[in-house]
Amino acid sequence: MKNIISIVWNNWLKPQQKYSVLLFGSIAAASEIALMLNGEWDGCNGVIIASGDEVAVNTAAKLLETTWCYQGASKAVLGRVTTDEILRRYAIGERNFVNANLRCAVLASAKLSEINLSYAQLSWADLSQANLSYADLTAADLSLANLSGADLSKAYLMRTNLSGADLQQASLQRANLSSANLSEVNLTGADLTLANLALADLRGANFYECNLSGANLTGAKLIESDLAFAKQ
């Protein structure tokens, strides 16, 4: 009888613990804070912890000199999607993955032409050699992502955050990168023929051997010297 009462208490009568997903400014900080606050680290920059005292979170974040927010604080973010799930759903014809959480995902060499990943979280993702031609990546977060050798020809990258991303040897022919953040991006050997870079932030980008033939740079933020070794 005691055991039955205990089971009922634990599963039904005991108040259910609520949890929050917090996103931190770096993977290292998330890992450390998960240990400090007895949370569950997601392997990237997210931590699942029991809802509670923000003071403890703020204190931990301050100690590690990082920033944090609740997942979805500024916009809705879907639960983390696995690589296998994306590939399976894409294979059966699904293309709409708006707001998908794919931080740190490994999708190297994946064939994802015409996929819709607008507003998706793709920071630190490995998309090297992936086929993303005609993909919609509007306003997605691709900061620090590996896109080396990726095919992004005719992709929609308006207002996309690509800061610090690796785009070496990537194909961006006729891609729309208007108002995108490409600061500190490595574009060595990339092909930006006829790409739209109007109003894009290109400060600190590496254009060595990058092909900018016919690219629209109207209103783009850049340091002229950065273009010294680009093909135009």
Side-chain angles (χ1 to χ4, degrees):
M1 186 66 177
K2 261 188 176 182
N3 288 337
I4 294 173
I5 292 173
S6 177
I7 290 170
V8 171
W9 169 255
N10 287 328
N11 292 290
W12 299 101
L13 301 179
K14 188 178 179 180
Q16 295 297 305
Q17 181 70 62
K18 293 183 179 179
Y19 293 87
S20 295
V21 180
L22 310 181
L23 303 179
F24 292 88
S26 73
I27 296 174
S31 174
E32 289 293 323
I33 289 173
L35 289 173
M36 292 167 67
L37 301 181
N38 196 29
E40 181 183 345
W41 179 43
D42 71 354
C44 195
N45 66 325
V47 177
I48 302 169
I49 64 170
S51 298
D53 193 357
E54 283 192 7
V55 173
V57 178
N58 286 328
T59 301
K62 188 174 181 180
L63 283 171
L64 294 171
E65 298 182 342
T66 189
T67 56
W68 70 278
C69 67
Y70 287 103
Q71 179 171 292
S74 58
K75 60 177 178 285
V77 179
L78 298 181
R80 191 171 179 78
V81 185
T82 66
T83 299
D84 288 344
E85 184 180 354
I86 283 283
L87 296 176
R88 177 185 61 79
R89 288 164 59 184
Y90 183 90
I92 61 176
E94 187 171 348
R95 296 292 181 269
N96 189 5
F97 298 93
V98 176
N99 279 338
N101 183 352
L102 285 160
R103 288 173 294 115
C104 304
V106 178
L107 287 161
S109 300
K111 300 186 189 316
L112 298 169
S113 179
E114 299 184 345
I115 193 169
N116 185 350
L117 285 165
S118 54
Y119 299 94
Q121 301 292 317
L122 287 154
S123 52
W124 296 287
D126 183 359
L127 290 156
S128 55
Q129 304 295 325
N131 183 353
L132 292 162
S133 57
Y134 297 94
D136 187 348
L137 290 153
T138 302
D141 182 2
L142 281 154
S143 55
L144 299 170
N146 182 359
L147 289 153
S148 58
D151 182 359
L152 287 153
S153 55
K154 298 185 180 179
Y156 301 94
L157 294 146
M158 297 81 75
R159 304 189 312 282
T160 301
N161 181 9
L162 286 152
S163 58
D166 184 354
L167 281 158
Q168 294 183 76
Q169 306 297 324
S171 174
L172 289 147
Q173 295 179 41
R174 297 182 181 273
N176 190 342
L177 291 142
S178 59
S179 299
N181 182 356
L182 289 132
S183 58
E184 305 297 330
V185 165
N186 188 350
L187 286 161
T188 300
D191 188 353
L192 283 154
T193 302
L194 298 174
N196 182 4
L197 291 157
L199 302 176
D201 187 348
L202 299 165
R203 290 172 294 186
N206 183 351
F207 291 99
Y208 184 75
E209 292 292 313
C210 175
N211 191 344
L212 286 166
S213 301
N216 179 6
L217 293 163
T218 304
K221 299 175 184 175
L222 52 82
I223 301 169
E224 292 295 330
S225 59
D226 288 341
L227 299 176
F229 298 100
K231 299 175 184 177
Q232 297 184 62

